[in-house]
Each structure stands twice: as structure tokens, then as C-alpha cells.
Amino acid sequence: MNRFVAVLGAVIAVALLSLNEAHAATAQENYRLYCVQCHGTTGNGQGINADGLAVSARDHSSAAEMSKLTDEELRTAVAKGGEAVTKSELMPPWAEVLRAEEIDDLVVHLRKLCKCVAAK
């Protein structure tokens, strides 16, 4: 059931995007559309799907945790999904939905949420 909820959320997000392809979404809009279901509106990892996940959603608001990650690791997670970074297979890869520039903008947005810089 948990996998179904995550996949359904991803399908709905993709459908919404295809309805609005002409609109260039901001990183904040993309985060709201694709990420808040699991990561929460503040990025704290407590979205509406969080309780049903076998692997906890990353807390994007945690400077202590997020500062351990490089920007490239964040890009990989967004582009290739959770499984690519040894996190949940339920986090879908977004490279087919988001342009490279949008993924880069999401990485910047994640750094704003954690108020931290990338690991060197």
C-alpha cells in the first residue's frame, strides 16, 4: 500500500506537469509539487506519506544532516531517485520530468531549507 501511495503521488505530479508544460516552475513550486508529500512543506521529512515509508524521508531542514551531502549527491537523488543514493526506492527519479536547470534550482532550494552549505 505504501508503495502504491508514493507511486500514485508521482503519477499525479507528472500528470499535473503535463497539463502545465508551458509554465516554467520555480524551485519552490517544484518542491511543493514533487517533494512535500514525503518531505513535508518545511522539508522536515514529515509529509503526509512519511508515516507509511519503510525508509524515513530525509529531513531537508536539518543543517547537520544536509551539510554532510555534496550538491552532486543531491542532484543524483533528485534526478535518479532514492535508490541511486541508497535511500528509499519509493522516491522516484525526476530526471524525465524536470529539466537539468530545474534540478539545479531544487538543489539551491534544498540549501535554503537547511540553511547550510554543501560538503566539500
Side-chain angles (χ1 to χ4, degrees), residues 58 60 65-81 85 91 103-104 106-111 114 116-119:
R58 187 176 299 280
H60 294 150
E65 290 302 312
M66 293 291 287
S67 63
K68 295 176 185 176
L69 302 170
T70 66
D71 286 348
E72 191 54 39
E73 288 171 314
L74 294 177
R75 270 187 212 91
T76 299
V78 173
K80 297 181 180 179
V85 291
M91 180 182 163
I103 293 172
D104 289 342
L106 266 176
V107 170
V108 171
H109 183 69
L110 292 172
R111 293 295 174 204
C114 71
C116 68
V117 296

Side-chain angles (χ1 to χ4, degrees), residues 9-10 12-14 16-17 20 23-43 47-49 60 78 94 97-98 102 105-107 109-110 113:
I12 291 170
V14 170
L16 288 172
L17 180 68
N20 200 15
H23 174 70
T26 66
Q28 188 173 6
E29 290 170 330
N30 280 332
Y31 192 85
R32 276 196 302 258
L33 185 59
Y34 302 113
C35 309
V36 298
Q37 295 86 354
C38 297
H39 296 282
T41 56
T42 63
I48 60 171
N49 291 341
H60 294 150
V78 173
W94 296 111
V97 176
L98 300 171
E102 291 175 305
D105 290 346
L106 266 176
V107 170
H109 183 69
L110 292 172
L113 289 175

Side-chain angles (χ1 to χ4, degrees), residues 7 38 51 59 67 77 82 88 91 119:
V7 171
C38 297
D51 287 341
D59 181 351
S67 63
S88 177
M91 180 182 163

